[in-house]
Amino acid sequence: MHISICVTSDLHGRLDRFEQITKQMKQLNPDLIIDNGDFLQGSLTTYYYDWVQPRPHPMIAIANKTGYDVAIFGNHEFNYPVDSIQEMRNECNFPWIAGNIGDFAPPYIIKQVKGLKVAIVGVVTHFTPLWDEQQHTKSLTFTNAFSSASYWVQYVKEIEQADVVILSYHGGFTRDPETDSLYAADTGENEANQMLEIPGVDIFITGHQHLEICTVINGIPVIQPGANGRCFGYIEYQLDKNKEHNVQLHYIENKPELFPQEVSDWLAQPIGYTTEDFTYKGLLSAQLSNIPYVDLLHEIQLSTTGADLSVVELFYHETGGFTGTITNQDVLNNYSRSNMLKVLRLTGADIRAVLEKCAAIFAVNKHGEIDYSLNVYPNTVQPYLYNFWGGLDYKLSIDEPVGQRVTKLVFQGQPVTATMTFNVAMNSYHATGAEFPMFQHKPVVFASQDILPEII
């Protein structure tokens, strides 16, 4: 005898792939369907329904029709105000759970499956408030995810007398669960390794990291089904202990994002043009030289805010920029995040510390060329931790030791000292200090009313 579960996580609003996923899941006819968070936010389709023509996301209707049993709150659900989250919950025919946000959500649900009492316990990484740019979570209390998961797993085993316990965690691993190699610094953001040791967990679902993990550890099926609808998870949990569990990832055809017609029409609308070439190709090469597109972004931020300096990033994009006619989609292909624009008051010491962290992503390889290094986190290249600074004249010497690579730092012809202060324009995510702690608790001297895609 077995129970079967289909799992999605970190779909981030990829409607086109979600439609394919649900068709495949129906063919598998699972006993349970679980979403592990970050369900809507993150796609161009979502941007349209959030900012252009606000209305319920079509993914909710598909999830309702497919028969999802439960969803776990992810950190990106809290990109929305609490009132908007409640509206989303009301539109869903299935509950949303999280056992470490006080009474905001139920900690678990119980489902009857083939005569068995199956408990699904949900928790979300308690680092969520650190990334809350608009303070949507200020009325909520996030407690430690591991402690909360331990408590509720024990509760459903002892009080609810559950036959099977599924722990669904919108968080990930610090170390590879099979090889123990380090993924990232052990900051407490990802506690899945500890959760695997919680007594009573029969099935373990993870997410948040966008990794593809599909394995069985000490008899426990463990799955993390990637991100953006690239694949979904399928688990057959065997109740006969002499049989092996079946754990699979089912992949969706990897195509460019497709859109509903109304979204496609809006994305194709021309909004401007350029007679110059503002395109770039290659993230590393863009980071190692001045490129016109980055200069354009600096000009946009400085002219909007009147700041002294500007900080921008290229995210994970290997290609981007503008040329010729510019459409709504061209802007969003470069910058789809709904960040605001903020100006922080920083010292010269803060700026030097940020630049040293940026410089740490590089190393000189065996061919004598600058390449990405493992200096930031062991075994994990982190190219996105590099920021471009506008308004400064600076030099990073990669052959110097990490932490001593800023060998020139000049503003308007004068060396920058540790005590100098500057107004620095950046997106509201950077301003939280999630990646650069030196930004935390700094005075905010400007905050835009519009989001950056609209400003651009």
Side-chain angles (χ1 to χ4, degrees):
M1 182 178 169
H2 71 269
I3 60 172
S4 57
I5 305 125
C6 279
V7 179
T8 52
S9 189
D10 298 271
L11 290 168
H12 289 292
R14 277 301 298 262
L15 176 65
D16 54 336
R17 290 179 177 170
F18 189 49
E19 289 174 330
Q20 296 180 60
I21 284 172
T22 55
K23 290 177 182 177
Q24 289 195 28
M25 290 197 303
K26 285 180 180 179
Q27 294 175 353
L28 292 168
N29 192 28
D31 298 310
L32 295 169
I33 306 178
I34 300 170
D35 184 80
N36 191 49
D38 287 3
F39 181 58
L40 294 181
Q41 199 277 336
S43 70
L44 303 195
T45 299
T46 298
Y47 183 93
Y48 180 84
Y49 291 120
D50 281 349
W51 296 99
V52 183
Q53 292 291 335
R55 62 184 178 85
H57 199 298
M59 285 184 62
I60 293 176
I62 294 173
N64 285 339
K65 185 178 179 180
T66 303
Y68 268 76
D69 292 282
V70 66
I72 286 74
F73 279 104
N75 56 292
H76 280 288
E77 266 67 59
F78 297 95
N79 287 7
Y80 299 100
V82 171
D83 289 347
S84 297
I85 296 172
Q86 188 55 52
E87 289 176 8
M88 179 195 70
R89 294 167 81 172
N90 292 339
E91 291 158 4
C92 295
N93 294 342
F94 48 89
W96 286 76
I97 65 173
N100 62 321
I101 321 178
D103 58 3
F104 178 74
Y108 66 90
I109 64 165
I110 300 291
K111 302 288 290 189
Q112 295 292 330
V113 179
K114 297 178 178 176
L116 297 170
K117 199 173 187 179
V118 179
I120 304 164
V121 175
V123 287
V124 57
T125 175
H126 55 274
F127 273 44
T128 297
L130 297 179
W131 309 308
D132 181 8
E133 303 166 33
Q134 304 304 322
Q135 299 299 301
H136 296 318
T137 60
K138 63 182 179 181
S139 63
L140 305 176
T141 301
F142 287 74
T143 54
N144 179 268
F146 170 72
S147 299
S148 299
S150 300
Y151 175 84
W152 289 113
V153 166
Q154 182 181 15
Y155 184 92
V156 297
K157 288 293 287 186
E158 296 181 359
I159 306 302
E160 294 283 6
Q161 294 291 297
D163 299 302
V164 178
V165 177
I166 302 171
L167 176 57
S168 193
Y169 169 45
H170 190 86
F173 291 90
T174 298
R175 294 182 176 274
D176 186 308
E178 294 183 297
T179 67
D180 202 42
S181 64
L182 197 64
Y183 282 142
D186 189 3
T187 62
E189 175 185 345
N190 295 295
E191 301 179 288
N193 296 90
Q194 299 96 304
M195 290 186 189
L196 261 176
E197 305 297 323
I198 296 175
V201 173
D202 297 303
I203 300 166
F204 190 30
I205 298 166
T206 66
H208 182 55
Q209 290 173 302
H210 297 189
L211 298 176
E212 295 173 7
I213 297 172
C214 177
T215 187
V216 178
I217 305 292
N218 296 327
I220 301 172
V222 179
I223 205 152
Q224 185 174 146
N228 301 304
R230 176 85 175 100
C231 58
F232 69 95
Y234 179 70
I235 301 168
E236 285 182 339
Y237 179 77
Q238 303 289 344
L239 280 95
D240 183 343
K241 294 184 178 179
N242 295 322
K243 294 183 179 180
E244 294 184 357
H245 309 301
N246 180 16
V247 186
Q248 303 174 1
L249 290 175
H250 290 252
Y251 287 84
I252 306 303
E253 190 174 359
N254 191 15
K255 292 182 176 180
E257 187 174 359
L258 300 174
F259 311 100
Q261 190 60 51
E262 60 180 337
V263 179
S264 184
D265 291 344
W266 178 80
L267 288 171
Q269 289 177 8
I271 57 174
Y273 69 93
T274 174
T275 56
E276 299 181 40
D277 186 355
F278 285 97
T279 60
Y280 69 91
K281 186 174 183 180
L283 182 59
L284 178 60
S285 61
Q287 291 171 337
L288 296 180
S289 61
N290 283 348
I291 61 172
Y293 174 65
V294 167
D295 290 339
L296 177 64
L297 293 181
H298 286 315
E299 186 176 338
I300 289 169
Q301 295 196 162
L302 291 172
S303 63
T304 302
T305 64
D308 304 313
L309 305 174
S310 167
V311 177
V312 300
E313 59 182 326
L314 296 180
F315 305 112
Y316 310 95
H317 301 165
E318 284 291 331
T319 61
F322 302 122
T323 187
T325 300
I326 302 171
T327 66
N328 285 317
Q329 185 167 355
D330 291 327
V331 172
L332 293 181
N333 282 344
N334 286 285
Y335 206 115
S336 62
R337 300 182 184 182
S338 54
N339 305 131
M340 304 297 183
L341 184 57
K342 287 190 173 183
V343 176
L344 301 186
R345 181 73 55 79
L346 302 179
T347 66
D350 296 327
I351 293 169
R352 183 176 289 275
V354 172
L355 285 170
E356 288 289 1
K357 187 168 182 178
C358 291
I361 74 166
F362 300 115
V364 178
N365 63 27
K366 62 182 180 181
H367 305 293
E369 303 163 332
I370 295 179
D371 204 342
Y372 293 124
S373 75
L374 300 177
N375 291 322
V376 183
Y377 296 120
N379 301 320
T380 309
V381 174
Q382 307 272 331
Y384 53 84
L385 287 179
Y386 184 83
N387 288 329
F388 300 81
W389 284 70
L392 280 177
D393 183 10
Y394 60 97
K395 180 179 179 181
L396 308 180
S397 300
I398 307 308
D399 54 352
E400 295 293 333
V402 170
Q404 302 174 36
R405 291 181 165 183
V406 180
T407 55
K408 179 182 180 181
L409 188 56
V410 172
F411 175 72
Q412 295 182 351
Q414 298 298 317
V416 174
T417 65
T419 57
M420 285 181 173
T421 59
F422 301 87
N423 291 340
V424 184
M426 64 186 69
N427 70 49
S428 52
Y429 174 74
H430 273 331
T432 65
E435 301 289 0
F436 296 91
M438 55 287 291
F439 291 158
Q440 292 177 1
H441 313 301
K442 297 297 181 180
V444 177
V445 297
F446 173 87
S448 69
Q449 296 299 310
D450 293 326
I451 57 176
L452 265 163
E454 292 295 327
I455 292 172
I456 293 170

